[in-house]
Amino acid sequence: MAASKTNKTNLTKSWNRWAVVFLMPQTIVFFGLSLYPIIMSYVYSFYSWDGASPLDDFVGLSNYVELFQTPRFWGSFLHTIYYVFGTTIIAVGVSLILAVILNTKQFKGKAFYRTIYFLPVVTTTAIIGVIMNNIFGVNGLVNQTIQTIGIIQQPVPWLSDSSLAMLILIAVGAWKSLGMNMIYWLSGLQSIPTELYESAQLDGAGFWRTLFHVTLPLLKPILAVILLLSIVNGMHAFDLVKTLTNGDPYNSTETLDLYVFNYAFGGGTDGTISRMGYASAAGVMLGIFTLIISVIFGGLNMLTQRKSNKHANGRVI
Amino acid sequence: MIITNKTVKYIIHALLLVCGFIWIYPFIWMVLASVKSNNEFIMSNNPLPESLNWDNYTRAWIDASFSGYFMNTVIMTVATVAIVVILSALTGYALGRVNFPGRKAVIIAVVGVMFIPKGYTIIPLYQLVEQLGMTNSLAGVIVAEASGAHTLFILLFTSYFATMPKELEEAAIMDGCGFVRTFYRVMLPLAKPIIATTVIMQFIWTWSSFLIPTVLTISKPELRTLAVGMQNFVGQHSTDWSGMAAGATISLLPVIIVFILMQRYFIEGVAGAVKQ
């Protein structure tokens, strides 16, 4: 018995050693390629630095001070808010309707519709941007079509009018992400036990009553998660904004992460010099804004869940 | 829930079909435009092409160097997917099967890194790749692409390996398999569904990646990927509309095909992500 025990501890020891070996590669990647860049992204923000010369001009918080005094930065912040709320309201709302339809029993062609509406999600955003830039161009497909039908005489300047360009950006962003939200909703809907529907039917509740009194209340916890994912996703819309409008006209669709990119790699406003330190500070602010929103939604989520738990407990008693 | 009314059902089907057609019309338009001549593209209102002009593809493939972009994208994607699958399977196995001291701390680190607010990490990544001397080959792009914390995949592998019965392991040890052989002969083949999910999701992400390859190939046009190379059509080649459509078709077709063939795994992965 003693022998088998030492055997076992030996085995545990060798297993623990192997576990460490298995963890090694990911650990190196984690510290070297995940954590180190995160830390350095903060460090750079305290320097005045062009990316090429040595990192020796420590300027403290002055990048941040300049950032807060720059109207273009706040403008891009505002555009990000527009984009985030626009895409979230459309994509999360409409996808719920789709998901409820596709979750109904005995409805044919579910898989087909799911594939169709999900398709834009998997396609390359940077290429969608170029295609949509063409479709909404002055002589593009949309103008051609509505001119042929005869709704308008003059082509609509979809992408060269500031408010229209923002609307197009939001519409394409919502189109691109709607399928993702549909899948989230479907996975929430499928977690609702079918007995609940059956008992609602026995109670004589029709489609709408079941929807408003059974389905939607039970989806509340997942709504918070979907909203959060959609918002965080919308904060990082670089691929689409860069390729569809590139911030035009006159920076009126420039979002935060495009602003950061323009200063880091595009020379900013006044020409050729990359301002890596300043861009890093803007990047940190983007990260902090995202965190604040996540914390608010995480908190809301916990609150609603605690409330519904209490509710459920009360009912049992 | 059940929709009982037949008429309502038909109306819903009609709506879904019409909206669905508009929904994917940009892709249909892209494919149709890719076989039109440039003249026809600008002048004609007819959505269908008069004749098939395959030379748009030749132009995109050879003159606009999409052959190079395509190869670069394939190499970048395959290498990144392989690295990510290996890393997350190894990590998931150690976390799921071995109760070593410090296991909890590792899991907290894997999940916690998602919640750290990140600055503009592409700048330090770029610097790092430069210091490693990798800017002259695709290796730099691949390293940067594989740099994530892979939290979702690690958690998927961990929970999958954790649910496998102990008897499997004991039988393997009885047969004289060590830790490593048990892993790749017995356990890994059983984790096929998770491997498939990881491969599909990472494939689609990497194929579509834009910021990292843009930044890392800023002075190296010959290393550019499809998503980056496509931007040529916005500026200097901006009159070649049907060439643009052909290039877009070359870029999007592989992901669309992979998605349609393997969508079960992709959708399961996405649904898994929201539950985590």
Side-chain angles (χ1 to χ4, degrees), chain A residues 11-21, chain B residues 98-101 179:
Chain A
L11 200 65
T12 318
K13 259 191 194 161
S14 104
W15 275 43
N16 286 348
R17 236 174 287 147
W18 273 116
V20 173
V21 174
Chain B
V98 189
N99 198 6
F100 59 91
F179 187 82

Side-chain angles (χ1 to χ4, degrees), chain A residues 15 18 23 25-26 34 37 41-42 49 51 104-106 108 113 115 117-118 124 126-127 134 175 187 243 260 287, chain B residues 1 9 13 16 19-20 23 87 91 100 117 119 124 127 147 150 169 179-180 208 231 241 244 251 259 263 266:
Chain A
W15 275 43
W18 273 116
L23 287 174
Q26 177 65 33
S34 297
S41 71
Y42 282 85
W49 184 47
T104 49
K105 265 188 190 169
Q106 296 158 6
K108 283 193 186 119
Y113 291 128
T115 308
Y117 287 97
F118 194 75
T124 310
I127 290 173
N134 202 302
W175 172 77
S187 91
T243 55
V260 180
Chain B
M1 278 188 291
K9 240 184 205 177
H13 272 296
L16 283 179
C19 294
W23 202 251
L87 286 177
T91 313
F100 59 91
Q127 297 289 328
S147 72
H150 318 308
E169 222 159 48
F179 187 82
V180 180
S208 298
Q231 308 311 315
W241 302 121
M244 185 278 302
S251 314
F259 167 68
Q263 59 170 309
F266 189 83

